[in-house]
Structure formats: C-alpha cells, structure tokens
Amino acid sequence: ARKRAEEELKNLYSELEHRVAERTLELQLANQELESFSYSVSHDLRAPLRAIDGFSRILLEEHAGELTPEDLRYLHLIRKNSQQMAQLIDALLNFSRMGRQSLNKEHLDPAVFAREALEGLSDEMKGRDVKVSIADLPPCEADRSMLRQVFDNLLSNALKFTRKREHATIEI
C-alpha cells in the first residue's frame, strides 16, 4: 500500500510539473503577444498624435490674433493633452521594450533615482504647494532603467492624484 501511495504521489507530482510547464509556456506566449500589441498600438498612435499637436501649434502661431481667448484656451488644452498622451505612449513603448531586455542588476541608491525623477517632474509642481520628502533609503540590487521607471511612475501618480489638493505632502 505504501509503494502504491508513493507511486501515485510520484505520478501526481509529474502531472503537476507537466501542467506548470504548460501554463508557464502559455503565460510566456500571452506576454509576448501583449508586448507586441503594446508596441504596435503605441507606435501607430504616434503619427496622428504628432499631427494633432503640430496642427494645433500652427494654429496658435499663425492665427492666435484671430482667435478668441476661449479658442486659445482650447488649443492650449489640445496641445497639453496631446503632449501628455505622447508621454504615455513613450512610457508604453518603454514598458514593451523592458519585457524584451534582460535585467542588469546593480547595487544602487534608490534615493538618487527618486530625486532625479522629482527633478524631471518639476514642471508638474509649478504653482502648487507640494512638499516632497525623500528619506534615506537603503541600497538595493536593481536594474537601473526599471528603478528609474518605478520612481518616475510613482511620483507622477502622486502628483497627479494630489493635484486638486491645496497643500500636498508626498513622502518617499
């Protein structure tokens, strides 16, 4: 009975390994398709978005004197939103590329990346009362580009979701 139970356990373990291998392969294929789709969609969106931004810029430069203040406000909003969408597309492209790159782990100071990300978002903080504090963070083993992306995304989201607050505090 013990031998039968051991054999049955061995068979179950083998079947489980086989299922895990199948599911892993399915997941890898799905991830590859998703990366390919993300790259294709984001790449295809760039041209029409550049056209929207370019034509709205031309209208502002060549016809600003003929437009009402409300028209000008709309054109500035179109440009601002098209540029924001371009940044989102670039982030999507970067994300799709990251899935194809191997990790290059290094010993890094995450506080450095947090400060760099904050500097890159200084325009988002103009005219706002935002207090950002970055604590001493322990060193870590990480991929440089992925860690940079993490802090860019975290701080960008923190600024976006505190936009309607009179005073905002962001702590890292």
Side-chain angles (χ1 to χ4, degrees), residues 47-111:
L49 192 58
R50 275 195 300 269
I52 292 168
D53 186 48
F55 289 133
S56 59
R57 180 182 46 78
I58 290 169
L59 283 172
L60 282 168
E61 290 173 359
E62 295 181 8
H63 302 283
E66 306 164 30
L67 301 171
T68 68
E70 187 176 6
D71 295 337
L72 291 171
R73 186 175 73 80
Y74 287 146
L75 282 173
H76 284 292
L77 282 172
I78 290 169
R79 293 217 56 223
K80 178 183 172 199
N81 284 301
S82 64
Q83 290 166 0
Q84 186 178 14
M85 189 173 181
Q87 290 173 342
L88 292 171
I89 290 170
D90 288 343
L92 189 58
L93 279 169
N94 288 336
F95 180 73
S96 72
R97 283 187 205 115
M98 282 184 180
R100 292 187 295 271
Q101 294 174 347
S102 61
L103 289 178
N104 184 17
K105 290 184 182 179
E106 301 176 54
H107 193 72
L108 301 171
D109 179 0

Side-chain angles (χ1 to χ4, degrees), residues 109-111 115 133-139 172:
D109 179 0
R115 284 190 285 277
S133 62
I134 301 172
D136 290 332
L137 302 173
I172 302 171

Side-chain angles (χ1 to χ4, degrees), residues 15 42 116 126 132 140 150 163:
E15 184 181 331
S42 57
E116 287 175 0
K126 283 185 180 169
V132 180
C140 66
V150 164
R163 190 170 286 136

